[in-house]
Amino acid sequence: MGASMWSLQLHTVSVPVPLEAFWRYNSTRKRTFKKLNIVANGDAKNSKNLPHQIMVVKSNKPNLPVLLQDAVTKLQESVKSIPPPSLLVKKHSGVSLPIALSTMVTLLVIILRNYVAKRSKPNRPGSVADLVRRGQLRSDRRGISNPLKYNDPFNNPLVKVSKSNSTVEMCGQVYRLAPVTLTKEQQAVHQKRRSRAYQWKRPTLFLREGDSVPPDVDPDTIRWIPANHPFATTASEIDEDLAQTNVYQKHGVPFRIQAEHEALQRKLEALQSEQKLGKLVIDPGAAKDFERPFKTRLKTEEQLDQGPYNRQMGSNSSESEGARDSFVNQHSSEEMDKP
Amino acid sequence: MLSLQPLNPKPSSLYSSTFTPPNSLSPKTLKPIPAFRPSRNFYPSIHSMLQYNRKPQLAGDTPRVVVITSGKGGVGKTTTTANIGLSLARLGFSVVAIDCDVGLRNLDLLLGLENRVNYTVVEVLNGDCRLDQALVRDKRWSNFELLCISKPRSKLPIGFGGKALVWLVDALKARDEGGPDFIIIDCPAGIDAGFITAITPANEAVLVTTPDITSLRDADRVTGLLECDGIRDIKMIVNRVRTDMIKGEDMMSVLDVQEMLGLPLLGVIPEDSEVIRSTNRGYPLVLNKPPALAGLAFEQAAWRLVEQDSMETVMMEEEPKKRGFFSFFGR
Ligand SMILES: Nc1ncnc2c1ncn2[C@@H]1O[C@H](COP(=O)(O)OP(=O)(O)O)[C@@H](O)[C@H]1O
Ligand SMILES: [Mg+2]
């Protein structure tokens, strides 16, 4: 609302002279209307300004729109409740002119003050600022609702480069500036130095320690992954093609979920036909029981080819390792399976 | 408004044709947009009011795949990724940040998104979810998304970790809403399998280093490996610079660092306690209002990254601010 009002004013200012009068008239009219609108929607805060505004309205527009009538009656009541200045004027007709003048001046001052106050106060009642005040929104996290101002970090009030370009003031502290002298030739020299110092081939083959090197493979490109590496594994229990298609999949059910679902379905159907349990209602608990063997089967495979290495590395190994290991594995697998 | 009028030869036509009503009453936004602003040094007083609404020019082909790496740990890769990523998003570019730090994932913490990571790339590869389900959209800037490689406990099949990242970049390019402008990869420390995975899809690299000799040696090594791998566009960010220590010759200056590495500078980030505070809040520094010193520096680095620019002058030591007569008695 405020914005449109201002753009309107802007027009008045910028329009050439002959039209000026018309525009000014138009804009003041609209402005009073705006004010009235505020009054009509009004709340307690605005109502104390009412007497002055009604004056303006009356002088400008005798016929008020229907939507304002409500407010007007309210206003009239409040106007009635204050001693009407006209009475005073009638009683002492001798001093009427100065009194009238001073009343006018007072009114003018009050109107002006209200106007200035309204202008300086940016947030209108009912704006998002109230949500912030009520703790529903955090003021500093309103990134999306704030219109973005591209804040040029180089041309910022907090960054001031001195005239001679020798110092910069950032956040209140002055720093000396020095030119960068690195040339392309120097860069090339450094590159050459590095290419001599560090010869490196990107590893293309990842092997677990202890695996045998396949023939016709450049040993420089092999990367040896320790079996107990905290986050890397060479085991490709994941089907590469399936993984790739899933990365590109945009809609629908991912393949693993689908496969599990189908496997479950098949098992249930098999069971049903075997045991002639066709009419039995299957409860979700029973379904979970079918799911488990499917998952642990995958795990035991992994566990099998991991077992020997743990022993080899001598890390926490004991006779009961198998049991312990499976416990740990199951434990972690359950954690992993949580979405 | 009247005071601005004499600046424009034909105010009425200009205002009516190009003026868009601002959203707030703040007088700053009422100023004309820079399309017809007078030359920079002509009206110095108005200059600072007209600063908004400029945007960096995007150079290079999109998506720009940038890996943020360092060799040494704890020098500020993750901090850089979070702050540059969000700066780019704030400038209006769409950004996907990939946390490739498999073992020690913490980009989500810095961004305050830790509670929203349900799926990771490992689940995508396993077929447990689709790629779009693994992307975590930031609520502050909806054009910023986070993708984590794996959960702390799960293992990444290293044999095709790099391949998988290339697929991911491809799949992001082919998204219905259009590919991202920037894919920023937070690389793990070291030159291990995780590092190799992280640099595979990148075509440019940002090397983060601190001005100390250990970090520099690692940085040099990593630069060598990147160059061997065919990544030519490498720029460096010198982090945790203490201008007060440079002055006392207790710390290498940024120019010393550059002399040792021979890399163009993308940015110089001062040591700033606000960095730690912003980590605690899960609220990257560049979003601070008013901006912190390090936040400004990150923003400037992001700006240069967009324009494929590098620094021509660097901040050196602090200079005493010229004060009044009585400053003689203080300090
Ligand atoms: N400019 C800086 N000023 C102060 N502290 C910093 C700065 N940059 C990084 N840090 C701190 O250094 C630590 C490591 O940063 P981080 O970004 O996690 O490094 P990395 O990802 O390289 O391991 C964090 O605690 C961070 O708060
Ligand atoms: Mg990190």
Side-chain angles (χ1 to χ4, degrees), chain B residues 193 242 255 276 293 311 316:
Chain B
R242 287 189 51 180
L255 291 183
I276 293 162
L293 192 56
M311 292 176 89
M316 301 294 282

mmCIF file of all heavy atoms in Angstrom, chain B residues 193 242 255 276 293 311 316:
data_model
loop_
_atom_site.group_PDB
_atom_site.id
_atom_site.type_symbol
_atom_site.label_atom_id
_atom_site.label_comp_id
_atom_site.label_asym_id
_atom_site.label_seq_id
_atom_site.Cartn_x
_atom_site.Cartn_y
_atom_site.Cartn_z
ATOM 1 N N ALA B 193 41.234 -42.479 -1.108
ATOM 2 C CA ALA B 193 40.139 -42.841 -2.001
ATOM 3 C C ALA B 193 39.064 -41.761 -2.051
ATOM 4 O O ALA B 193 38.528 -41.460 -3.126
ATOM 5 C CB ALA B 193 39.533 -44.153 -1.525
ATOM 6 N N ARG B 242 45.828 -13.800 9.716
ATOM 7 C CA ARG B 242 45.783 -12.852 10.839
ATOM 8 C C ARG B 242 46.636 -11.641 10.491
ATOM 9 O O ARG B 242 47.869 -11.689 10.554
ATOM 10 C CB ARG B 242 46.256 -13.519 12.119
ATOM 11 C CG ARG B 242 45.218 -14.495 12.627
ATOM 12 C CD ARG B 242 45.543 -15.009 13.973
ATOM 13 N NE ARG B 242 45.838 -13.945 14.931
ATOM 14 C CZ ARG B 242 46.145 -14.189 16.191
ATOM 15 N NH1 ARG B 242 46.206 -15.424 16.622
ATOM 16 N NH2 ARG B 242 46.401 -13.200 17.006
ATOM 17 N N LEU B 255 51.033 -12.867 0.042
ATOM 18 C CA LEU B 255 51.936 -12.841 -1.110
ATOM 19 C C LEU B 255 53.055 -13.863 -0.959
ATOM 20 O O LEU B 255 53.506 -14.453 -1.946
ATOM 21 C CB LEU B 255 52.499 -11.437 -1.304
ATOM 22 C CG LEU B 255 51.460 -10.405 -1.768
ATOM 23 C CD1 LEU B 255 52.111 -9.066 -2.015
ATOM 24 C CD2 LEU B 255 50.729 -10.886 -3.015
ATOM 25 N N ILE B 276 33.317 -19.482 14.002
ATOM 26 C CA ILE B 276 32.948 -20.521 14.960
ATOM 27 C C ILE B 276 31.530 -20.296 15.468
ATOM 28 O O ILE B 276 30.741 -21.233 15.596
ATOM 29 C CB ILE B 276 33.958 -20.542 16.117
ATOM 30 C CG1 ILE B 276 35.311 -21.010 15.572
ATOM 31 C CG2 ILE B 276 33.502 -21.458 17.244
ATOM 32 C CD1 ILE B 276 36.469 -20.686 16.460
ATOM 33 N N LEU B 293 33.571 -9.660 8.884
ATOM 34 C CA LEU B 293 34.715 -9.459 7.996
ATOM 35 C C LEU B 293 34.948 -10.693 7.118
ATOM 36 O O LEU B 293 35.090 -10.600 5.900
ATOM 37 C CB LEU B 293 35.948 -9.159 8.849
ATOM 38 C CG LEU B 293 37.170 -8.644 8.124
ATOM 39 C CD1 LEU B 293 36.830 -7.407 7.327
ATOM 40 C CD2 LEU B 293 38.276 -8.327 9.116
ATOM 41 N N MET B 311 42.256 -12.277 -7.663
ATOM 42 C CA MET B 311 42.561 -11.018 -6.980
ATOM 43 C C MET B 311 43.740 -10.314 -7.630
ATOM 44 O O MET B 311 44.701 -10.941 -8.047
ATOM 45 C CB MET B 311 42.907 -11.298 -5.518
ATOM 46 C CG MET B 311 41.742 -11.783 -4.718
ATOM 47 S SD MET B 311 42.240 -12.213 -3.057
ATOM 48 C CE MET B 311 42.040 -10.645 -2.237
ATOM 49 N N MET B 316 46.984 -6.568 3.194
ATOM 50 C CA MET B 316 48.152 -6.986 3.966
ATOM 51 C C MET B 316 47.899 -6.705 5.445
ATOM 52 O O MET B 316 46.875 -7.078 5.952
ATOM 53 C CB MET B 316 49.395 -6.257 3.469
ATOM 54 C CG MET B 316 49.688 -6.519 2.007
ATOM 55 S SD MET B 316 50.119 -8.223 1.694
ATOM 56 C CE MET B 316 51.795 -8.221 2.250
#
